[in-house]
């Protein structure tokens, strides 16, 4: 059962805690995976059973190797608001196997407060300093301007040569297929990298 004992804390920022998921976060996880505004750029919404299965998989992954989509908790209230995390991109044929992506999802009532920018910026620093990642990518549907604006704010740059048609988006949703890619490079690992 998830939530036995203290959560695994990945890192903290001024306002936030990024941690493993607790059983009491399950309703929030269901909410964000079913909300049509949150899931606007995905070809499906998840019902409770599907969200619960993903919740369990995500938390198991965090506990196994420290990578995954971590719960973002507001320190002031202790409430989980959504997730932000570092995880294998798992896009064979598009990115090399070792590619790590940063991704996020937040309940709409918390939008507009800079929580994702704050947590994603901290995670990039953590990924570079503590995990010694060479680079981190992020990708989104081409016209998902909210997500690409975050990518720019956290220092990522557009890599048009890495744009792709998402293989898991069905042909019934052609407007969601094309994805743009942003990346940020760890200059401590790749000091010769130049824009």
């Amino acid at each position: 059962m998830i939530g036995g004992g203290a959560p695994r804390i990945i890192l903290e920022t001024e306002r936030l805690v990024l941690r493993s998921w607790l059983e009491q976060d399950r309703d929030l996880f269901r909410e964000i995976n079913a909300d049509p505004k949150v899931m606007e750029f995905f070809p499906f919404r998840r019902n409770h059973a599907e969200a619960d299965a993903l919740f369990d998989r995500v938390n198991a992954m965090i506990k196994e190797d420290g990578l995954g989509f971590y719960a973002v908790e507001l320190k002031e209230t202790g409430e989980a608001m959504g997730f932000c995390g570092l995880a294998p991109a798992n896009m064979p044929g598009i990115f090399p196997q070792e590619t790590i992506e940063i991704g996020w999802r937040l309940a709409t009532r918390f939008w507009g407060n800079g929580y994702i920018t704050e947590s994603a910026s901290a995670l990039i620093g953590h990924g570079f300093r503590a995990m010694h990642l060479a680079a981190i990518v992020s990708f989104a549907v081409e016209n998902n301007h909210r997500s690409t604006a975050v990518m720019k704010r956290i220092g990522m740059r557009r890599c048009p040569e890495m744009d792709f048609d998402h293989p898991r988006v069905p042909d019934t949703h052609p407007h969601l297929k094309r994805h743009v890619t942003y990346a940020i490079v760890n200059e401590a690992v790749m000091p010769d990298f130049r824009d």
Side-chain angles (χ1 to χ4, degrees), residues 18 68-70 72 83-87 101-104 123:
L18 277 72
F69 295 111
Y70 319 116
V72 177
F83 65 72
C84 187
L86 298 168
E101 69 160 310
I102 187 165
W104 49 79
L123 276 175

Side-chain angles (χ1 to χ4, degrees), residues 68-134:
F69 295 111
Y70 319 116
V72 177
E73 175 188 300
L74 186 60
K75 281 184 178 178
E76 186 178 358
T77 64
E79 183 178 10
M81 303 182 290
F83 65 72
C84 187
L86 298 168
N90 191 25
M91 300 288 284
I94 294 170
F95 299 118
Q97 183 178 352
E98 67 275 9
T99 302
I100 299 296
E101 69 160 310
I102 187 165
W104 49 79
R105 207 169 292 166
L106 199 66
T108 55
R109 63 187 175 278
F110 300 108
W111 288 8
N113 294 290
Y115 296 136
I116 291 300
T117 300
E118 183 175 329
S119 55
S121 294
L123 276 175
I124 286 175
H126 176 74
F128 286 169
R129 287 189 305 273
M131 303 169 73
H132 310 291
L133 299 175

